[in-house]
RNA sequence: GGAGGGAUGGCCGAGAGGACGAAGGCGGUUGUCUUGAAAACAACUGUGGCAGUGAUGUCACCGGGGGUUCGAAUCCCUCUCCCUCCGCCA
């Protein structure tokens, strides 16, 4: 959510930002209109309330002085005012609801240096690390060798839960668990993160806090009877960890990391990314979330992104950092870097991390504030998050890039502390 | 799942239709006293909206929402959460 005062005073900048984002539906003009209406009604109502408050006090006094007839006369007038207040309140309620809804549907304006383009064609590769692996045979995609090695079972996954579900088995399941643990360990021990185990179903208002609702409900799974939503990423629960709080001076920055399953409806066209575990309804992801002071946001984004990149480097996986263009930016992000890893079997770059700065956009929605100094006014924190990393796609790259002519796979040495001498699969 | 009891400021806790944004205590800040500290004493001490350059004014907020009333922390409805007992359970 944006600061309405900023919106009032920066119409031009707002219009430009929305144009850059290529979001033609963003109801920012409507929001400003409703804001004006809302404040008008608010002032009318308050004036009447003031009148009624003083009147009501009078009535109390008059009764105490046994001046019943005067009191009753006043009562009648107050009753009238009460009616007017009720009318204004009703109008205000409806205006307020529309206003709030409009505000919740206005996206975050991009940072100055985000590449301006209408869609993902304008994304810019900023850096590329590592050499693409070369083979003297044709590298296979994981959906071919996964079942052969009996480490991924698609058929039984589909039979059990439907399309885009799978079983990881044996070395496959173990690899995911080991990677998840190792990612967590690196973030905790080297990057100063605190591990949390968050709820994986949350209330609707938590989804609003991170910006997944009201606009993107169709991407989420939910309980049919109760207000429980399955998290599409740990970002949702972990960001809400400090909802409605005022953090005392000295608490920021806060770094959290969690490894959770993520549930996504993935209503993409039926054929797209249908094979393998590139795009599935349930996957494991290690997510980093930061709460920081506003001035430090950009530096924190850089260190957050580096924390994810380091993992890819130690796994010897070639990757690139991509600056997401304005038209491809998510609703809540002010700036976003994607990390894409090369998968030799699929022959494509797979997104394994998104690192975003939200400024105060989420903090306003979730009402997360901090006190800059003792006794100072509370201000909104800035939030960031990034995957560090999404498991299935890292597994894809790891398996596909390290396959050998005989069909076996040799995992990188960095995993030796977790695998011992069992670095070979198949 | 069933029965009952609760939710009040940073914390504890009073409050039962009118002088209540809310007693009292704790905590915090400042001052007096003191070489300094402690103690004692005194004053101050919540959040947000709107209007105003400003002093300030005004409105809202006693878990959330709705209602009754001239007037609600207080009465009614509803939701959420917490506690106790019973049932069930990894």
């Amino acid at each position: 959510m944006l600061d309405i005062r900023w919106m009032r005073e920066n119409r031009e900048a707002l219009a430009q930002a929305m144009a850059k984002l290529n979001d033609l539906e963003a109801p920012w003009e409507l929001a400003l209109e409703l804001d004006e209406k809302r404040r008008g009604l608010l002032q009318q109502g308050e004036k009447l309330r003031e009148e009624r408050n003083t009147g009501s006090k009078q009535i109390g006094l008059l009764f105490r002085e046994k001046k019943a007839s005067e009191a009753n006369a006043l009562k009648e007038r107050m009753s009238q005012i009460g009616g007017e207040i009720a009318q204004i309140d009703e109008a205000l309620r409806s205006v307020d609801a529309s206003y709030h809804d409009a505000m919740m549907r206005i996206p975050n304006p991009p940072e100055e240096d985000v590449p301006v383009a209408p869609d993902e064609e304008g994304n810019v590769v900023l850096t590329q690390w590592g050499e693409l692996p070369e083979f003297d045979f044709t590298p296979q995609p994981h959906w071919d060798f996964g079942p052969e090695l009996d480490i991924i079972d698609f058929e039984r996954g589909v039979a059990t839960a439907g399309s885009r579900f799978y079983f990881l088995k044996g070395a496959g399941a173990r690899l995911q668990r080991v990677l998840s643990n190792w990612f967590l360990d690196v973030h905790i021990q080297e990057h100063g993160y605190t591990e949390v185990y968050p709820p994986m179903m949350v209330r609707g208002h938590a989804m609003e806090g991170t910006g997944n609702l009201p606009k993107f409900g169709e991407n989420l799974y939910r309980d049919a009877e109760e207000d429980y939503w399955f998290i599409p990423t740990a970002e949702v629960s972990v960001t809400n960890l400090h909802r409605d709080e005022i953090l005392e001076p000295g608490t920021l920055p806060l770094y959290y990391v969690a490894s959770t399953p993520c549930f996504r409806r993935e209503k993409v066209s039926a054929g797209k990314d249908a094979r393998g575990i590139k795009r599935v309804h349930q996957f494991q992801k290690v997510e980093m979330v930061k709460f920081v002071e506003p001035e430090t946001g950009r530096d924190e984004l850089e260190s957050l992104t580096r924390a994810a990149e380091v993992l890819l480097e130690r796994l010897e996986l070639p990757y690139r950092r991509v600056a997401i263009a304005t038209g491809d930016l998510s609703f809540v992000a002010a700036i976003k870097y994607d990390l894409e890893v090369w998968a030799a079997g699929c022959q494509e770059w797979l997104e394994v991390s998104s690192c975003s700065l939200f400024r105060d956009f989420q903090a306003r929605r979730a009402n997360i504030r901090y006190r800059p100094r003792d006794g100072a006014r509370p201000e909104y924190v800035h939030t960031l998050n990034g995957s560090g990393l999404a498991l299935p796609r890292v597994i894809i790259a790891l398996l596909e890039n390290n396959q050998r002519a005989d069909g076996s796979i040799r995992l990188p040495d960095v995993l030796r502390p977790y695998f011992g001498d069992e670095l070979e699969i198949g």
Side-chain angles (χ1 to χ4, degrees), chain A residues 13 98 108 119 153 175 178 181 269 274 285 297 327 358:
Chain A
S98 314
N108 206 356
D119 54 40
D153 189 332
L175 178 59
V178 161
N181 282 348
S269 50
K285 179 159 63 65
F358 305 99

Side-chain angles (χ1 to χ4, degrees), chain A residues 23 25 101 104-108 207-208 210-222 229-230 232 235-236 263-267 328-333 361 365:
Chain A
D23 188 337
E25 291 163 19
D101 184 68
M104 292 296 269
R105 289 169 191 275
I106 299 170
N108 206 356
M207 288 287 182
E208 284 180 10
T210 41
N212 300 81
L213 288 177
K215 247 194 116 174
F216 305 100
E218 73 275 11
N219 297 328
L220 303 171
Y221 288 106
R222 62 168 305 183
W229 300 74
F230 288 61
E235 163 193 352
V236 176
F263 304 96
R264 299 187 181 180
R265 292 187 67 182
E266 298 294 357
K267 298 183 86 176
D328 194 29
L329 216 49
S330 67
F331 183 74
V332 283
F361 193 81
R365 292 176 157 235

Side-chain angles (χ1 to χ4, degrees), chain A residues 11-32:
Chain A
R11 278 189 88 101
E12 205 47 44
L14 185 59
Q16 275 172 24
M18 294 302 122
K20 273 190 194 176
L21 291 174
N22 202 21
D23 188 337
L24 305 173
E25 291 163 19
W28 61 275
E29 284 172 301
L30 176 66
L32 283 169

Side-chain angles (χ1 to χ4, degrees), chain A residues 181-221:
Chain A
N181 282 348
W182 177 59
F183 293 169
L184 286 170
D185 287 343
V186 171
H187 295 318
I188 294 162
Q189 289 161 16
E190 300 179 31
H191 301 143
Y193 286 77
T194 301
E195 183 177 2
V196 293
Y197 173 81
M200 287 157 218
M201 297 190 288
V202 299
R203 297 284 186 204
H205 62 73
M207 288 287 182
E208 284 180 10
T210 41
N212 300 81
L213 288 177
K215 247 194 116 174
F216 305 100
E218 73 275 11
N219 297 328
L220 303 171
Y221 288 106

Side-chain angles (χ1 to χ4, degrees), chain A residues 236-247:
Chain A
V236 176
S237 11
V238 179
T239 303
N240 278 280
L241 181 58
H242 291 297
R243 104 177 336 265
D244 292 326
E245 285 186 39
I246 297 173
L247 301 163

